[in-house]
């Protein structure tokens, strides 16, 4: 039987449709260096952005359940679209487990940053369609003017290692146009993949404030872990396991590019998610 002591050491489960969630893993490692992490990139199904919302809800639910059944003590839905469609139901189904998303933390950070009350959101088609950011901003201040732009070219650019290309600049110019037109002073990077494209986006509008929701999401995570008495204070070195539902060889090469030193990971493995369980079960058992 698992003891309270074990529970502190249990990993934080993090997932995304692909590489984007590594931006969240990096934030966790920076601010919670003692925590163990189990990350799933659902590259079998990436990109999520253009898929029906019900389908994404199914993926997010299956992955969350598999992380929980693998022994995770908390879940971070790094993926914006998953947070938009699935966060509430997982929080309802697992009321005693810290489960956090990125949409509300991102909206709160942007609300604090804007001076003129005009905020832009760059996101996937699904996230824009869900209306989750608009609803989050309305719950904070209904006077904000929010302009959302769907950016279907961005995720394939990141997954295919084209962040520094002319294609990335062209796409950034296209997607930033309505935000510039609307006079926004603050832009939410409403998809975990987009921080990897920040240089291209910033080149189009250097004067704007860019918000990565991962930063405030990790602050929320710290608060929740503390209130649940789940923070890992062990002096042992932490472990991070990165897994993909997609091609393992390709993922290994991608991770090397996106997780440079000082970020670390012990193992890169493949996983299969089926009916809320995964082949990752007990992966940490031999380590901790
Ligand atoms: N990175 C995910 C998000 O934050 C989804 C990207 C995609 O697969 O389309 O919404």
């Amino acid at each position: 039987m698992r003891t309270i002591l074990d529970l502190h050491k249990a990993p934080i489960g993090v997932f995304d449709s692909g590489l984007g969630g590594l931006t969240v893993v990096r934030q966790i490692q920076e601010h919670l260096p003692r925590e163990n992490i189990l990350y799933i990139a659902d590259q079998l199904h990436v990109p999520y952005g253009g898929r029906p919302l019900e389908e994404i809800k199914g993926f997010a639910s299956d992955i969350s359940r598999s992380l929980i059944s693998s022994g995770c003590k908390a879940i971070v839905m790094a993926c914006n679209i998953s947070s938009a469609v699935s966060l509430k139901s997982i929080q309802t189904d697992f009321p005693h487990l810290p489960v956090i998303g990125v949409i509300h933390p991102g909206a709160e950070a942007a609300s604090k940053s804007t001076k003129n009350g005009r905020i832009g959101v760059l996101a996937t088609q699904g996230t824009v369609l869900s209306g989750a950011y608009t609803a989050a901003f309305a719950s904070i201040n209904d006077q904000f003017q929010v302009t959302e732009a769907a950016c279907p070219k961005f995720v394939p650019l990141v997954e295919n290692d084209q962040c520094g290309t002319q294609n990335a600049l062209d796409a950034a110019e296209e997607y930033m146009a309505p935000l510039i037109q609307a006079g926004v002073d603050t832009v939410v990077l409403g998809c975990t993949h987009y921080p990897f494209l920040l240089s291209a986006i910033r080149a189009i509008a250097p004067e704007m404030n860019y918000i990565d929701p991962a930063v405030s999401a990790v602050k929320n995570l710290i608060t929740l872990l503390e209130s649940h008495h789940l923070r890992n204070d062990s002096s042992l070195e932490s472990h991070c396991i990165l897994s993909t539902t997609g091609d393992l060889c390709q993922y290994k090469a991608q991770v090397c590019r996106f997780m440079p030193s000082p970020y670390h990971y012990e193992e890169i493995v493949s996983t299969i998610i089926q009916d809320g369980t995964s082949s990752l079960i007990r992966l940490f058992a031999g380590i901790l």
Side-chain angles (χ1 to χ4, degrees):
M1 209 174 82
R2 209 150 70 158
T3 64
I4 296 286
L5 200 68
D6 292 327
L7 203 53
H8 290 120
K9 293 197 289 181
I12 295 168
V14 185
F15 74 90
D16 186 47
S17 62
L19 297 169
L22 296 178
T23 57
V24 181
V25 170
R26 284 164 31 159
Q27 285 294 329
I28 297 174
Q29 290 191 330
E30 252 170 57
H31 298 284
L32 288 164
R34 293 186 181 176
E35 296 295 342
N36 298 302
I37 298 171
L38 181 50
Y39 177 70
I40 296 179
D42 189 14
Q43 290 182 308
L44 185 65
H45 299 119
V46 73
Y48 277 11
R51 291 176 181 271
L53 298 184
E54 270 310 303
E55 187 181 25
I56 298 164
K57 194 170 178 183
F59 296 153
S61 170
D62 266 359
I63 298 173
S64 302
R65 284 168 203 280
S66 87
L67 287 167
I68 294 165
S69 67
S70 298
C72 290
K73 66 180 178 183
I75 301 297
V76 179
M77 283 193 191
C79 179
N80 286 255
I81 179 66
S82 299
S83 304
V85 298
S86 194
L87 181 66
K88 283 208 177 81
S89 66
I90 297 295
Q91 284 175 331
T92 306
D93 291 350
F94 298 93
H96 304 301
L97 196 83
V99 181
I100 67 158
V102 286
I103 300 237
H104 222 275
E108 270 182 351
S111 306
K112 286 180 191 148
S113 149
T114 183
K115 299 275 183 290
N116 69 5
R118 287 184 226 156
I119 299 166
V121 179
L122 298 174
T124 63
Q125 289 151 296
T127 299
V128 173
L129 198 68
S130 75
Y133 269 106
T134 304
F137 280 114
S139 74
I140 297 167
N141 182 339
D142 61 10
Q143 298 302 305
F144 285 144
Q145 286 175 35
V146 181
T147 305
E148 297 193 57
C151 315
K153 293 176 194 160
F154 272 173
V155 169
L157 283 168
V158 175
E159 293 284 327
N160 296 312
D161 193 23
Q162 291 184 34
C163 293
T165 63
Q166 186 60 42
N167 286 348
L169 272 175
D170 292 345
E173 190 172 11
E174 178 185 340
Y175 300 141
M176 284 298 286
L179 276 53
I180 293 168
Q181 175 81 19
V184 310
D185 67 354
T186 299
V187 177
V188 179
L189 303 173
C191 168
T192 50
H193 286 73
Y194 299 176
F196 291 127
L197 287 160
L198 186 55
S199 310
I201 299 167
R202 213 195 280 279
I204 306 301
E207 71 286 3
M208 293 189 191
N209 296 323
Y210 293 94
I211 303 294
D212 177 358
V215 177
S216 37
V218 170
K219 284 188 191 145
N220 286 7
L221 176 64
I222 294 170
T223 307
L224 263 182
L225 289 179
E226 281 173 356
S227 67
H228 283 73
H229 306 289
L230 281 175
R231 218 170 144 158
N232 188 10
D233 290 325
S234 159
S235 55
L236 297 176
E237 204 183 312
S238 63
H239 294 274
C240 175
I241 292 175
L242 304 176
S243 70
T244 180
T245 58
D247 183 281
L248 186 57
C249 282
Q250 181 188 300
Y251 186 58
K252 282 183 176 170
Q254 291 170 322
V255 167
C256 290
R257 287 200 305 277
F258 288 108
M259 292 283 281
S261 176
Y263 307 108
H264 68 271
Y265 44 89
E266 273 68 40
E267 254 186 276
I268 305 181
V269 295
S270 59
T271 185
I272 299 166
I273 312 283
Q274 220 167 26
D275 303 327
T277 59
S278 88
S279 49
L280 294 170
I281 290 180
R282 301 197 188 288
L283 205 62
F284 266 87
I287 302 177
L288 303 177

